[in-house]
Amino acid sequence: MPPSTHPKPTAPGSDPNRGANRGANRGANRGANRGPGKAPAQAPRRAPKRGIVIAACAALAALLLGLLSQFATGGGSTESKDAPAASGSGDPAEGVYPELAALARRDAGDKLAQGREDAPVVLIEYADFKCSFCGKFARDTEPKLVKKYVDSGVLRIEWRNFPIFGADSDAAARASWAAGRQGRFWQFHQAAYADEHAKEKGFGKARLDEVAREAGVPDLDRFRRDLSGTAAKAAVKRDPEEAYKLGASSTPSFVINGRPIAGAQPMEAFTQAIDAAAKTASSKPAPSKPKTGSKPGETDAK
């Protein structure tokens, strides 16, 4: 902030012109020290208020997800009565952050997603193939969500590789992306998590080949080339950067239409959040679509 231009009040008995003279002398000395031809120093520009507000909101959302992530699978199961879950206040908008909702990519060409790209609810999952609780969610909860919500068109699931357990995690993430290049990501996902001891077995080259075969990846040579390529490395790097910006520090972490959920929560936590998000989405008026061949201004009366 630039210094105040108002003179400070002087103490009783002091010279009232002393402050003004001192300021004038300083200004003259500064001008002389700059030398000829140099422009006076400019005051720093103030950051736009809008940028400050957006940054503050993002920081708040990151703080919340960071706090929730303390309960996630880095230290143990989150399936307890005290674990943070979806809000039970009855207000569908409580605990929802637009900054987090905006992370849904809705990319029709995303091989690491399932469900309609225009589904009213998007669940973003940040997970690691070596995470035992990610495996628990994949085996126990995710298939139920797919059957109840994805198949009915309500939910879209977008996977984000978040390898936090070292080199094997990173290799498995790149391998899943490579399997996705051949349309077999979700089959790879299922095969990798089918074994409850995946963390102990690791994901060396032989193990990755085994999982790829179980997933039905048709071209194993291409699979090996793709997982070692620069495109796989860039793709896998993108997701963790997004997760860390959110404040996520452990797996699994989820975002459902802007609502953060940490850990392998019980099924009810996800159904509550999805139902609340779907209710909010349905309350927004959808634009009417004109009939095919109708005149401008005519709408479907159904």
Side-chain angles (χ1 to χ4, degrees):
M1 292 287 291
S4 173
T5 56
H6 297 287
K8 297 180 179 179
T10 56
S14 62
D15 183 359
N17 296 321
R18 183 181 300 169
N21 292 337
R22 189 177 295 159
N25 290 336
R26 282 179 186 158
N29 290 336
R30 284 175 187 159
N33 290 336
R34 284 196 193 104
K38 291 186 179 180
Q42 295 181 351
R45 294 180 180 179
R46 295 182 179 181
K49 291 183 178 180
R50 182 183 178 188
I52 294 174
V53 172
I54 293 175
C57 292
L60 177 61
L63 176 61
L64 174 63
L65 190 55
L67 291 173
L68 291 179
S69 293
Q70 294 179 11
F71 297 91
T73 60
S77 172
T78 57
E79 294 194 70
S80 66
K81 294 181 180 179
D82 297 328
S87 171
S89 67
D91 182 0
E94 184 176 348
V96 174
Y97 295 84
E99 296 79 12
L100 300 184
L103 295 171
R105 295 170 187 170
R106 296 186 180 274
D107 181 1
D110 187 354
K111 303 296 186 182
L112 277 61
Q114 58 178 322
R116 291 168 32 195
E117 57 266 22
D118 62 345
V121 184
V122 177
L123 181 153
I124 305 172
E125 176 183 359
Y126 299 89
D128 186 319
F129 283 103
K130 284 191 72 176
C131 164
S132 57
F133 291 103
C134 298
K136 181 173 178 58
F137 172 79
R139 290 187 300 272
D140 298 347
T141 305
E142 197 162 29
K144 297 175 184 176
L145 296 179
V146 170
K147 185 176 180 179
K148 183 173 183 178
Y149 295 107
V150 175
D151 292 348
S152 63
V154 173
L155 180 67
R156 175 178 174 83
I157 299 177
E158 295 186 355
W159 170 273
R160 303 285 193 268
N161 274 304
F162 191 19
I164 60 175
F165 290 111
D168 268 13
S169 291
D170 186 73
R174 288 185 284 109
S176 73
W177 181 88
R181 297 271 284 181
Q182 300 186 49
R184 307 299 291 179
F185 168 79
W186 289 104
Q187 291 80 1
F188 183 96
H189 170 279
Q190 182 179 2
Y193 281 133
D195 191 338
E196 296 183 11
H197 303 288
K199 185 173 183 178
E200 291 75 19
K201 288 185 176 180
F203 288 100
K205 292 182 179 180
R207 174 63 179 150
L208 291 176
D209 279 357
E210 180 185 345
V211 175
R213 288 191 189 93
E214 292 175 9
V217 175
D219 189 340
L220 288 178
D221 288 334
R222 178 190 171 187
F223 167 78
R224 297 183 190 108
R225 290 194 305 270
D226 284 345
L227 77 85
S228 301
T230 56
K233 294 176 183 178
V236 170
K237 181 181 178 182
R238 174 190 180 189
D239 293 345
E241 287 178 349
E242 179 180 290
Y244 285 128
K245 286 179 182 178
L246 294 180
S249 59
S250 54
T251 55
S253 292
F254 306 89
V255 176
I256 300 177
N257 275 26
R259 183 190 302 276
I261 295 180
Q265 299 284 344
M267 177 72 173
E268 291 75 16
F270 292 94
T271 57
Q272 287 176 15
I274 294 169
D275 290 342
K279 181 179 180 181
T280 300
S282 66
S283 66
K284 297 178 181 178
S288 58
K289 297 181 180 179
K291 293 180 180 179
T292 304
S294 62
K295 296 179 182 179
E298 276 188 358
T299 57
D300 197 335
K302 290 181 180 180

